[in-house]
Amino acid sequence: MSAAETVTSTPLAGQGRHLPASGPRRGIATVCLSGTLEDKLSAAAAAGFDGVEIFENDLIASPLSPGQVRERCADLGLSIDLYQPFRDFEAVGPELLAANLRRAAHKFDVMEQLGADTVLVCSSVAPAAVDDDDLAAEQLHTLASLAAERGLRIAYEALAWGRFVNTYDHSWEIVRRADHPALGLCLDSFHVLSRGSDPAGIRNLPGPKLFFLQLADAPRLEMDVLQWSRHHRLFPGQGAFDLPAFVGHVLAAGYDGPLSLEVFNDVFRQADPERAAVDAMRSLLALQERLEASGPVALRERVRVPDLPPAPDLAGHAFTELAVDDVSGPRVARALAALGFTHTGQHRSKPVQLWQQDGARVLLNASPPSGVSPGGAAVCALAVESADPARSARRAETLLAPVLPRTRGADEAILSAVAAPDGTSVFFCRTGEGDATSWLSDFAPTDATRGAGAGLTRTDHVALTQPFDHFDEAALFYRAVLGLEPETITEFAAPFGLIRSRAVADPAHSVRIALSVALLRRGEWAPGVPDPQHVAFATDDAFASARAMRALGAPLLRIPDNYYDDLDARLAPPAELLTAMRRYSVLYDRDEHGEFLHFYTEVLGSRVFFEVVQRVGGYAGYGAANAPVRMAAHRRLRIARAGRGKRTDAKPSPKSEGR
Amino acid sequence: MSAAETVTSTPLAGQGRHLPASGPRRGIATVCLSGTLEDKLSAAAAAGFDGVEIFENDLIASPLSPGQVRERCADLGLSIDLYQPFRDFEAVGPELLAANLRRAAHKFDVMEQLGADTVLVCSSVAPAAVDDDDLAAEQLHTLASLAAERGLRIAYEALAWGRFVNTYDHSWEIVRRADHPALGLCLDSFHVLSRGSDPAGIRNLPGPKLFFLQLADAPRLEMDVLQWSRHHRLFPGQGAFDLPAFVGHVLAAGYDGPLSLEVFNDVFRQADPERAAVDAMRSLLALQERLEASGPVALRERVRVPDLPPAPDLAGHAFTELAVDDVSGPRVARALAALGFTHTGQHRSKPVQLWQQDGARVLLNASPPSGVSPGGAAVCALAVESADPARSARRAETLLAPVLPRTRGADEAILSAVAAPDGTSVFFCRTGEGDATSWLSDFAPTDATRGAGAGLTRTDHVALTQPFDHFDEAALFYRAVLGLEPETITEFAAPFGLIRSRAVADPAHSVRIALSVALLRRGEWAPGVPDPQHVAFATDDAFASARAMRALGAPLLRIPDNYYDDLDARLAPPAELLTAMRRYSVLYDRDEHGEFLHFYTEVLGSRVFFEVVQRVGGYAGYGAANAPVRMAAHRRLRIARAGRGKRTDAKPSPKSEGR
């Protein structure tokens, strides 16, 4: 096995079309995705959605007539479940009512041509509207009557910032008073949950009056709710809302329409729509699984995703694989040796080295093309110990993870792998020394005798800098595919811009993957590729490890004295400890559970470095507070190296940047 | 003259060092700038700042000892005006007080080594603090006594989100009660103005107690004030605060310390610090000018910037220059001819064509290197009619605009130009037919007889997509250098992500420059370079112009029928007008002042297109609501062209993006 040759991953398009058809129908609003209407419909179909909500602005900018959109959707196997939004209709004076009814008639024409039978009418924000529920009900009754004449229906939604109607129970009160069969409710999880409303009351609403359900997750943010809604919604499982509970209430009420996503998100708005649509579909599949796990028996059957086996238990990182070349390979190998690793194995058919120290394992893969810049190195794969690798792979495939093709020699172990959103290969395996089915059997032992090592026991975590467009997708990917739980999001000001990081881990913390992304983007003025990845190894004694590694000549990163002076001022650690930390450039953090001692190597091959961590007590973090200090130290080394060799921090001229 | 050869602009570094030394001292907090402390200090010095505030985190991550930082600053000619911040000190129990005093003693050590005599203590946000002004005053008195023993002093600042102390008058009340000569106030414009406090009361504070002044502008945002402060501050003149009035109050009270910028901004945090420091310095020079214009006579003398002449009146766009090559040049020329322009002049020494139609002028510059991708075209210069071009140039230079070198043939007119933040050359000129000093005299008339044209009268505006890092810098640049006023910021969801746009214009609206930027960034999945620039020409009759241009074969952009159906639904225009708009693909907008009829050409040479606009009444906008429709139409053409020729919308593989 090896990962580097597998990176030409399977195409995503069309993959989702084989989704099982049972269970609730799944939909997506075109506003979730980037591009033109044509781009969006193709992407939704390719990801396996059953239907779409047509967002009006997408239609307006399209050269396809509504009839042609209908045909396009039919060709793609998509139903048009909703046309939206129709704004600022109700509770107005007679003149404005007439204008609004004329406007509605035009839109009903469009809907007839589209073949869409339901329109979303959201509660008014117009200054001209009045606070009169009876008037609102009466006018919505009029609208519903006109809709019914054409076989259409009205789904009334309370915007969280609606002028007078901004809660679901208020919107229901108006629909109840209007009492027209063509008038019902649209429930949007964001509008309900962002206001802190208790969604349990939804169970008591009459199911046939629930015309439509829009789903969005969101992080908890202290900001204006309209801005929060329009810029920061997320797909289910990416934010902080309890959507299984919410959807459980809606289904309990008797709703039997589609689960449809309506997610306004600044990042998704600019990301590849095919990939975003797959991310969206994965979020619904994972939501159904959580709903199945938490809901009553009757509900379980309705939401079950066939072919989705539960996530097998994980028991740690099996290995991390680095792509290297002729220049970086020896350099990384020297560094591993100086960290106490031994080159214990050589792949039987490929230029892949196995380096081991107790339970910590690293593969160095020099297969061309390495996929890294000349002299560079990169994490190309991570492997987890699964209780059932085959089941892990089946689960990943059902959750739309691109399955990677493998080239396998005779007598080599079968290893299944999928591609994570950033292109990293994720392997599912079992590691057993002397076990012929273990991936270890692919490696012939070398003559090297294992040395005393430097106290490293296992891989603590793998830290991967994510492409800008795929941070939230990645967290959901690992959560869903591997059954990991996302931890708290951290944001901090790094020397070259803000960084957001979020780790995912299994309940036992045997597998930890720390994802990070530069918010906005990373400053292009800074030299080099400023987003290295790293592998962190666990030790039970950071100082003993540091001492041993220093004796072996490891390229450890020097931390400035100022850091320790500030640590002294802030925390007043015992003098002896402070002296030791300063001497060995060990950094320190603590949380309510315990303490964290950690140190770093220099960046090796432009993209990769190593970290050694000692967790004391139940410390749960990753030392994010110290990351800016590490980044500044890495930058100084780059500049110093550039000064000695060729200059790598040439800035783009204003011209080349501006044009 | 011509601009394309001048784009290797003068370096920015060191330029500001020649700033006049009179007037208030100018400072900047290191937290405003990206990079390591060493990067920041160099950038501040290069931009001509007198002093810096050392932000603690920058020092902690630096390998320079405080003494070495002091030496570095001395070498760079920078004073260290403030050390900051010291948090959560006051109004606590005796045990925590002891710990806080120990912490302070450590920081006083650092300050002594730095040679910084003032530390910022910001009002507490600690859960352990109590609401007791007397206790806060007593403990601050103790702290000030310890500081005074070392010749240091304490500047106490009310954070806008301070737990108990969050207004400047409250912080003053505590300082007054503490009554210690080494304890005074730090006033921060953001903390005062973000809460809507009336800053006029500052005039009544005793000047000697105003130890420090921090300046930041900000846009008006509806969000949590802490997040607003930490992510969205701007340099003076880039936001919505009335900083001349604020500073006027502080100076009236007798403050005589530096004007120091403290701007936390996500974009600046990742931008080239040398450029950001120049932007910062320009903001202070422009602030001083506005202060001089608005303040009392005594104040004027104190804040005047020598060598900064007032902005001359502007009288329109003289010309817009496009860089073209052998492929794009003929294509753009054909398009101009079809828009009714005539090729009236040929530059006497360079491959530059002059195209004219009434007062609208375009130069096509085919000088190699064109600075554009093969077959592409780009706006490389804009020229404004100045009442005093030489004075405009002097003003620009004083405001740190990079002055562009010129190569001038014998008998050619002198034209001064500076580089805008996006690299566009900005020329100051006077256009007089038959005037030997006019730039027009550099062009030999062609034989072409001017045709009837197509009704274009002048250049209405030039629309320039800005590099991500330089949007706010650009708005301030045009505001300060040309004396234009920034208009309202508009944000809209475009097919490939959010767009923010802001125009700058002179009071008479004879010169309008529309700046736009993709928030976050523009989706890399989309084909081509998705951020074209354009030049908009004015007509008095959009339909007559469109008819004439269509007859001439102009490559006008087709707008979808759906757009007109929606326009009908929304605004119910007269049927005849709607028919004409639909027929000629004319778009429509209106505001409280008037109406806007406009249409576009296709994109020519990958980066440039033209627009024709008719302003009816006092319509002040740019039809931003229609921009997404235009962008979608342009994208369709790109895809159609790519389908006919080589495919240009190949997506990066997950691999190449992830690694």
Side-chain angles (χ1 to χ4, degrees):
Chain A
M1 60 66 34
S2 79
E5 83 269 26
T6 66
V7 286
T8 51
S9 82
T10 52
L12 293 166
Q15 189 175 38
R17 304 301 295 278
H18 310 295
L19 287 176
S22 66
R25 299 177 64 257
R26 286 175 286 251
I28 186 167
T30 55
V31 75
C32 302
L33 303 172
S34 183
T36 62
L37 181 60
E38 304 90 286
D39 297 322
K40 295 168 187 224
L41 295 178
S42 299
F49 280 94
D50 302 300
V52 291
E53 307 173 26
I54 298 284
F55 191 68
E56 182 167 274
N57 286 5
D58 289 323
L59 179 70
I60 289 171
S62 174
L64 300 179
S65 70
Q68 288 170 319
V69 172
R70 176 187 204 149
E71 285 169 26
R72 178 74 60 97
C73 287
D75 290 346
L76 291 167
L78 293 169
S79 58
I80 299 179
D81 298 326
L82 191 74
Y83 185 73
Q84 64 125 322
F86 190 82
R87 298 186 192 278
D88 294 336
F89 170 78
E90 77 280 15
V92 294
E95 199 170 325
L96 192 45
L97 176 65
N100 287 348
L101 288 172
R102 174 187 180 280
R103 181 160 59 97
H106 275 262
K107 297 305 178 184
F108 290 167
D109 291 346
V110 171
M111 290 173 64
E112 283 184 341
Q113 295 164 55
L114 275 175
D117 70 356
T118 307
V119 61
L120 173 69
V121 173
C122 43
S123 61
S124 181
V125 300
V130 296
D131 186 9
D132 183 337
D133 286 356
D134 283 322
L135 185 63
E138 177 192 320
Q139 296 183 349
L140 283 166
H141 185 103
T142 303
L143 185 68
S145 303
L146 293 171
E149 288 171 14
R150 304 190 185 212
L152 306 177
R153 53 186 208 160
I154 309 293
Y156 183 60
E157 173 185 73
L159 293 177
W161 55 90
R163 185 144 176 247
F164 302 114
V165 179
N166 43 45
T167 59
Y168 77 85
D169 43 340
H170 195 174
S171 61
W172 164 241
E173 178 56 26
I174 288 171
V175 166
R176 193 189 61 74
R177 290 192 202 184
D179 191 24
H180 191 288
L183 178 67
L185 282 184
C186 174
L187 293 174
D188 178 310
S189 60
F190 182 89
H191 292 304
V192 175
L193 299 174
S194 65
R195 294 185 54 102
S197 299
D198 179 1
I202 292 172
R203 304 177 83 89
N204 305 321
L205 300 179
K209 279 300 202 186
L210 303 184
F211 281 9
F212 210 76
L213 172 63
Q214 294 180 312
L215 294 176
D217 204 342
R220 283 275 164 215
L221 296 174
E222 291 296 322
M223 67 189 305
D224 176 67
V225 69
L226 186 147
Q227 297 297 323
W228 183 20
S229 172
R230 294 212 174 144
H231 298 280
H232 301 285
R233 291 184 179 210
L234 291 167
F235 294 129
Q238 296 176 336
F241 289 166
D242 185 353
L243 289 178
F246 179 85
V247 177
H249 296 313
V250 177
L251 296 182
Y255 174 73
D256 64 358
L259 304 179
S260 189
L261 298 165
E262 188 189 37
V263 170
F264 305 84
N265 179 290
D266 291 351
V267 177
F268 302 161
R269 268 188 199 283
Q270 61 167 19
D272 180 340
E274 289 193 3
R275 298 190 56 170
V278 168
D279 184 26
M281 176 56 78
R282 184 179 299 127
S283 79
L284 281 182
L285 297 173
L287 174 65
Q288 286 181 239
E289 183 184 48
R290 291 166 66 202
L291 200 49
E292 184 190 347
S294 64
V297 176
L299 183 61
R300 284 181 204 169
E301 287 306 316
R302 280 173 60 194
V303 299
R304 176 165 298 156
V305 179
D307 306 330
L308 183 61
D313 286 341
L314 302 182
H317 292 265
F319 63 83
T320 309
E321 181 173 342
L322 307 184
V324 293
D325 68 6
D326 292 350
V327 177
S328 61
R331 185 163 177 221
V332 175
R334 277 194 306 277
L336 286 171
L339 294 178
F341 282 79
T342 305
H343 177 195
T344 57
Q346 187 67 41
H347 195 276
R348 298 183 191 279
S349 65
K350 304 195 194 90
V352 180
Q353 299 179 350
L354 167 62
W355 288 75
Q356 280 188 274
Q357 179 171 183
D358 196 0
R361 297 178 204 90
V362 175
L363 303 188
L364 298 187
N365 188 333
S367 302
S370 67
V372 297
S373 55
V379 174
C380 62
L382 57 89
V384 295
E385 302 276 0
S386 167
D388 185 342
R391 180 152 61 105
S392 288
R394 280 205 312 281
R395 174 180 175 83
E397 190 167 2
T398 303
L399 288 168
L400 307 177
V403 176
L404 295 172
R406 286 167 298 113
T407 57
R408 188 162 64 89
D411 298 329
E412 289 180 12
I414 298 171
L415 268 188
S416 299
V418 296
D422 68 354
T424 302
S425 301
V426 177
F427 284 89
F428 308 107
C429 51
R430 253 186 322 219
T431 306
E433 308 243 5
D435 173 356
T437 68
S438 163
W439 62 276
L440 277 177
S441 64
D442 294 348
F443 289 83
T446 63
D447 296 336
T449 48
R450 297 202 194 186
L456 303 186
T457 56
R458 50 188 291 279
T459 300
D460 182 86
H461 65 275
V462 179
L464 299 173
T465 312
Q466 295 299 296
F468 183 85
D469 285 349
H470 304 299
F471 182 75
D472 292 307
E473 176 188 351
L476 176 63
F477 175 92
Y478 288 112
R479 174 179 198 166
V481 170
L482 296 185
L484 306 181
E485 276 305 309
E487 300 181 349
T488 310
I489 288 177
T490 306
E491 281 185 18
F492 58 88
F496 310 110
L498 296 181
I499 302 289
R500 178 178 293 167
S501 74
R502 178 174 218 179
V504 288
D506 66 317
H509 293 112
S510 70
V511 170
R512 300 182 199 244
I513 302 167
L515 307 169
S516 67
V517 68
L519 295 181
L520 305 185
R521 62 173 191 182
R522 191 73 72 94
E524 289 175 359
W525 72 273
V529 177
D531 50 354
Q533 309 161 313
H534 74 272
V535 186
F537 304 110
T539 177
D540 293 329
D541 185 339
F543 295 111
S545 289
R547 209 176 300 120
M549 290 170 184
R550 194 168 284 191
L552 290 165
L556 301 184
L557 185 69
R558 172 108 171 78
I559 299 300
D561 273 344
N562 295 338
Y563 171 82
Y564 297 99
D565 293 342
D566 178 65
L567 200 61
D568 188 15
R570 280 193 291 126
L571 305 176
E576 201 172 322
L577 176 63
L578 187 68
T579 303
M581 286 193 287
R582 194 189 293 264
R583 178 167 175 196
Y584 290 107
S585 281
V586 170
L587 297 109
Y588 180 85
D589 192 24
R590 67 185 182 197
D591 63 13
E592 66 273 34
H593 307 295
E595 294 173 298
F596 192 58
L597 296 157
H598 60 137
F599 59 93
Y600 301 99
T601 69
E602 299 177 0
V603 174
L604 307 163
S606 85
R607 186 76 203 276
V608 166
F609 62 93
F610 299 112
E611 182 183 9
V612 175
V613 311
Q614 178 188 356
R615 295 178 184 274
V616 182
Y619 178 86
Y622 299 82
N626 296 324
V629 175
R630 182 253 297 164
M631 290 175 180
H634 275 152
R635 166 163 164 80
R636 272 192 304 280
L637 283 175
R638 276 200 304 270
I639 292 176
R641 295 240 161 77
R644 289 206 305 270
K646 66 177 167 51
R647 185 169 164 80
T648 61
D649 59 342
K651 280 181 293 183
S653 70
K655 167 69 180 166
S656 66
E657 200 173 12
R659 298 288 153 72
Chain B
M1 62 62 38
S2 78
E5 82 270 27
T6 65
V7 286
T8 52
S9 84
T10 52
L12 293 166
Q15 189 175 38
R17 305 299 297 277
H18 310 297
L19 287 176
S22 67
R25 300 177 64 256
R26 287 175 285 251
I28 186 167
T30 56
V31 75
C32 302
L33 303 172
S34 183
T36 62
L37 181 60
E38 305 88 285
D39 296 323
K40 295 167 186 224
L41 296 178
S42 300
F49 280 94
D50 302 301
V52 291
E53 307 173 26
I54 300 284
F55 192 68
E56 184 167 272
N57 286 5
D58 289 323
L59 179 69
I60 289 170
S62 174
L64 299 180
S65 71
Q68 288 170 321
V69 172
R70 176 187 203 150
E71 286 169 26
R72 177 74 61 97
C73 287
D75 290 346
L76 291 167
L78 293 170
S79 58
I80 299 179
D81 298 326
L82 191 74
Y83 185 72
Q84 65 125 323
F86 191 82
R87 298 185 192 278
D88 295 335
F89 171 77
E90 77 280 15
V92 295
E95 200 170 325
L96 191 46
L97 176 64
N100 287 348
L101 288 172
R102 176 187 179 280
R103 182 160 57 98
H106 275 262
K107 297 305 178 184
F108 290 167
D109 291 345
V110 171
M111 290 173 64
E112 283 184 341
Q113 296 164 53
L114 275 175
D117 71 355
T118 307
V119 61
L120 172 70
V121 173
C122 43
S123 60
S124 181
V125 300
V130 296
D131 186 9
D132 183 337
D133 287 356
D134 283 323
L135 185 63
E138 179 192 319
Q139 296 182 348
L140 283 166
H141 185 103
T142 303
L143 185 68
S145 303
L146 294 171
E149 287 171 14
R150 304 189 184 213
L152 306 176
R153 52 185 210 161
I154 310 294
Y156 182 60
E157 173 186 72
L159 294 177
W161 55 90
R163 184 142 176 248
F164 303 114
V165 179
N166 43 45
T167 60
Y168 76 86
D169 43 340
H170 195 173
S171 61
W172 164 241
E173 178 56 26
I174 288 171
V175 167
R176 192 190 61 73
R177 290 191 202 184
D179 190 25
H180 191 289
L183 178 67
L185 282 184
C186 175
L187 294 174
D188 178 310
S189 60
F190 182 90
H191 292 303
V192 176
L193 299 175
S194 65
R195 293 185 56 101
S197 300
D198 179 1
I202 292 171
R203 303 177 83 90
N204 305 321
L205 300 179
K209 279 300 203 185
L210 302 184
F211 281 9
F212 210 76
L213 172 63
Q214 294 180 312
L215 295 176
D217 204 342
R220 282 276 163 213
L221 296 174
E222 290 297 321
M223 67 188 306
D224 176 67
V225 69
L226 186 148
Q227 298 297 324
W228 183 21
S229 172
R230 293 211 175 146
H231 298 279
H232 301 284
R233 292 184 178 210
L234 290 167
F235 294 129
Q238 295 176 336
F241 289 165
D242 185 353
L243 288 178
F246 179 84
V247 177
H249 296 314
V250 177
L251 295 182
Y255 174 74
D256 65 357
L259 304 180
S260 190
L261 298 164
E262 189 192 35
V263 171
F264 305 83
N265 179 288
D266 292 352
V267 177
F268 302 160
R269 267 188 199 284
Q270 62 167 20
D272 180 341
E274 289 193 2
R275 298 190 56 169
V278 168
D279 183 26
M281 176 56 78
R282 185 180 297 128
S283 79
L284 281 182
L285 297 173
L287 174 65
Q288 286 181 241
E289 183 184 48
R290 290 166 67 202
L291 201 49
E292 185 189 347
S294 63
V297 176
L299 183 62
R300 284 180 205 171
E301 287 305 315
R302 280 171 62 193
V303 299
R304 175 164 298 154
V305 180
D307 306 330
L308 182 61
D313 285 340
L314 301 182
H317 293 265
F319 63 84
T320 309
E321 181 174 341
L322 307 183
V324 294
D325 68 6
D326 292 350
V327 177
S328 62
R331 183 161 179 223
V332 175
R334 276 195 305 277
L336 285 171
L339 294 178
F341 281 80
T342 305
H343 177 194
T344 56
Q346 187 67 40
H347 196 276
R348 298 183 191 277
S349 65
K350 304 195 192 88
V352 180
Q353 300 179 349
L354 167 63
W355 288 76
Q356 280 188 273
Q357 179 171 184
D358 196 0
R361 297 178 203 91
V362 175
L363 303 188
L364 298 187
N365 188 333
S367 302
S370 67
V372 296
S373 55
V379 173
C380 63
L382 57 89
V384 294
E385 301 275 0
S386 166
D388 186 342
R391 181 153 61 108
S392 288
R394 279 205 313 281
R395 175 180 175 82
E397 190 167 2
T398 303
L399 288 168
L400 307 177
V403 176
L404 295 173
R406 285 166 298 111
T407 56
R408 189 162 63 89
D411 299 328
E412 289 180 12
I414 299 172
L415 266 188
S416 299
V418 295
D422 68 354
T424 302
S425 302
V426 177
F427 284 88
F428 308 107
C429 50
R430 253 186 321 219
T431 306
E433 309 243 5
D435 174 355
T437 67
S438 164
W439 62 276
L440 277 178
S441 64
D442 294 347
F443 288 83
T446 63
D447 296 337
T449 47
R450 294 200 194 189
L456 302 187
T457 57
R458 49 188 291 277
T459 300
D460 182 86
H461 64 276
V462 179
L464 299 173
T465 312
Q466 296 298 295
F468 182 85
D469 285 351
H470 304 298
F471 182 74
D472 292 306
E473 177 188 349
L476 176 63
F477 175 92
Y478 288 112
R479 174 180 199 167
V481 169
L482 297 185
L484 306 181
E485 276 305 308
E487 301 181 349
T488 310
I489 289 176
T490 306
E491 282 184 18
F492 58 89
F496 310 110
L498 296 181
I499 302 287
R500 178 179 294 166
S501 74
R502 179 174 216 177
V504 287
D506 66 318
H509 294 112
S510 69
V511 170
R512 300 183 199 243
I513 302 167
L515 307 169
S516 66
V517 67
L519 295 181
L520 305 185
R521 60 171 192 182
R522 191 73 71 94
E524 288 173 1
W525 72 273
V529 178
D531 50 354
Q533 310 161 312
H534 75 271
V535 186
F537 304 110
T539 177
D540 293 329
D541 185 338
F543 296 111
S545 290
R547 209 176 300 119
M549 291 171 184
R550 195 169 283 192
L552 289 165
L556 300 184
L557 186 69
R558 172 109 170 78
I559 299 300
D561 274 344
N562 295 338
Y563 171 82
Y564 297 100
D565 293 342
D566 178 65
L567 200 61
D568 187 16
R570 281 192 293 125
L571 305 176
E576 202 172 321
L577 176 62
L578 186 68
T579 303
M581 288 194 287
R582 194 189 293 264
R583 177 166 176 197
Y584 291 107
S585 280
V586 170
L587 298 108
Y588 180 84
D589 193 24
R590 66 184 182 198
D591 64 13
E592 65 273 35
H593 307 295
E595 295 174 296
F596 192 56
L597 296 157
H598 60 137
F599 58 92
Y600 302 100
T601 68
E602 300 178 0
V603 175
L604 308 163
S606 84
R607 187 72 203 275
V608 166
F609 63 92
F610 299 112
E611 181 182 8
V612 175
V613 311
Q614 178 187 355
R615 293 179 185 275
V616 182
Y619 178 86
Y622 300 82
N626 297 324
V629 175
R630 183 253 298 164
M631 290 176 181
H634 275 153
R635 166 164 164 80
R636 273 191 304 278
L637 283 175
R638 276 200 304 271
I639 292 176
R641 295 241 161 77
R644 288 206 305 269
K646 67 178 166 48
R647 184 169 164 80
T648 61
D649 60 340
K651 281 182 295 184
S653 70
K655 168 69 182 166
S656 68
E657 202 175 11
R659 296 289 154 70

